[in-house]
Structures are given as C-alpha cells and as structure tokens.
Amino acid sequence: MSTNTTMKAGQEKRSNVKMMAQIGMLAAISTVLMFFEFPLPFAPSFYELDFSEVPVLVGCFSMGPAAGVVIEFLKILLKFALKGTMTAGVGEVANFAIGCSLVLPAAWIYKRKKTRKQAVWGMVAGTICMAIAGGLLNAFVLLPTYAKAFGMPMEALIEMGSKVNGKITGLSTFILLAVTPFNLFKGVIISTIVLLIYKKISPILRMR
C-alpha cells in the first residue's frame, strides 16, 4: 500500500510540474502575441487586434478554467513588466477581466462535455460575454481612464470614433458601433483559430 501511495504521489507531483510548465509556456507565447497588434477599419486606431487569447483558450480547454485564469493573469503581468502601463494598471485589470469573460464561459461549457459542438457553443457564449463585458468596461472604466491619463476630454476620444464611423456621435454609439463590433470580431477570430488548431496540439498538452 505504501509503495502504491508513493507512486501515486510521485505521478501527481510530475503531473503538477508538467501543468505548471505548460501554463508558463502558454503565458509566454500569449505575451509575445500581445506585441503583434493590428488596427481594424471600423474602430479607432487605439483599438488593435491581437491573438494573445489563443494560447489562453487552448490552456482553458486542455487544463481547465482555473489554469486559463492563471495564464491570463501571467500574460498581463508579463506585459506589464516588459512594457509598463499608461493607465496606472487600470487598463491591465480591465483587459484581464475582458479576456476572462471570453475564455471562462467557453471553458466551463466545454468542460461539461468535451465535444467539438460543445466547444463551438462555449466559444459563442464566450464571445457574447466578452462583447458585453468589453462594452461595459470601456464605457465606465477604460475610456474615462484613458481620457484622464492622456489629459483629454472624452469628446476627443469619441471624435476619433466619429472619423471612422460618422454614426458615432456619443459614448453609447461609440460602444455599440466600435467597441462591441471589435470584441465580437476578435472573439470570432480567436475562436476560429482555436477550433482549427486545438485537436492537433491537445495530445501534447494532455501528456502528463
């Protein structure tokens, strides 16, 4: 009995070490991806698309929601350490919350039944949640913080949106016509990439 217990303890320890290594690897990849950003034609230039949520979502699917939260946190922490902040950390906290709003619903739904169909439904739910969370956080946290950090009125940020889309005339239309489409598009792109690559790389991540 003691031998079996020792073997199980050793296997569990190796499994935990492997998981920690995978979390660190995915967080590092995610951090690198954050530095490759692309503007979108329907949003102001300060909204740029990156693919850093791909490794986070892969980690969520392979190791569970808690691992995904850790990867998301490490990603934000590493970028903060490497690049610093222009919002006294408020933007980083908001980005963490928006990222989690995508990956956590997807991971929870996928965890219940690990099928391709369930993964798709999870990512659809995550994309919708991210669009809602992104809209609320931008309206009440991010945009006011950026305006204060750069010493400009909110109207100046809204005007940048108006130059892209003439229908943007205030904060509500800015959120509906710029922020929400941006997050919906990002969610669809991230989900599509994960859907295409996950089954190919998941056997490697599950080797413990």
Side-chain angles (χ1 to χ4, degrees):
M1 291 290 293
S2 60
T3 303
N4 289 337
T5 302
T6 303
M7 289 179 63
K8 287 181 180 178
Q11 290 173 351
E12 184 176 347
K13 184 177 180 180
R14 286 193 295 272
S15 179
N16 290 337
V17 171
K18 180 72 179 293
M19 180 180 287
M20 290 173 62
Q22 289 176 353
I23 287 173
M25 176 190 69
L26 291 171
I29 295 171
S30 187
T31 303
V32 171
L33 290 174
M34 287 187 81
F35 290 97
F36 296 93
E37 300 175 313
F38 309 92
L40 296 177
F42 55 82
S45 58
F46 54 87
Y47 288 105
E48 293 186 308
L49 175 68
D50 68 70
F51 303 107
S52 62
E53 304 304 336
V54 170
V56 182
L57 191 51
V58 167
C60 272
F61 280 173
S62 63
M63 293 176 281
V69 172
V70 175
I71 296 168
E72 186 74 39
F73 175 77
L74 290 174
K75 176 194 79 172
I76 298 296
L77 188 65
L78 286 169
K79 187 184 180 185
F80 182 85
L82 293 170
K83 198 173 182 180
T85 179
M86 293 184 293
T87 61
V90 176
E92 284 70 27
V93 172
N95 286 337
F96 172 78
I98 293 172
C100 286
S101 70
L102 168 66
V103 301
L104 286 182
W108 281 327
I109 292 172
Y110 180 70
K111 188 177 179 181
R112 295 174 60 188
K113 189 177 181 182
K114 295 185 177 181
T115 64
R116 184 182 179 88
K117 183 178 180 180
Q118 199 77 350
V120 171
W121 280 116
M123 289 186 287
V124 168
T127 298
I128 293 171
C129 288
M130 183 173 70
I132 295 170
L136 293 173
L137 284 169
N138 271 271
F140 298 108
V141 180
L142 283 175
L143 290 174
T145 301
Y146 286 142
K148 185 176 181 180
F150 290 103
M152 62 174 66
M154 282 283 290
E155 289 74 14
L157 294 176
I158 293 169
E159 186 179 348
M160 293 175 71
S162 300
K163 291 179 180 178
V164 176
N165 185 342
K167 294 181 180 179
I168 296 176
T169 56
L171 181 59
S172 59
T173 50
F174 188 99
I175 298 300
L176 289 173
L177 299 178
V179 177
T180 300
F182 176 87
N183 283 316
L184 287 172
F185 183 79
K186 180 176 180 178
V188 170
I189 293 297
I190 297 298
S191 299
T192 301
I193 294 172
V194 172
L195 196 63
L196 291 172
I197 69 171
Y198 180 68
K199 287 299 181 183
K200 297 178 181 178
I201 65 174
S202 61
I204 300 172
L205 295 171
R206 287 174 180 168
M207 288 173 59
R208 304 226 227 284

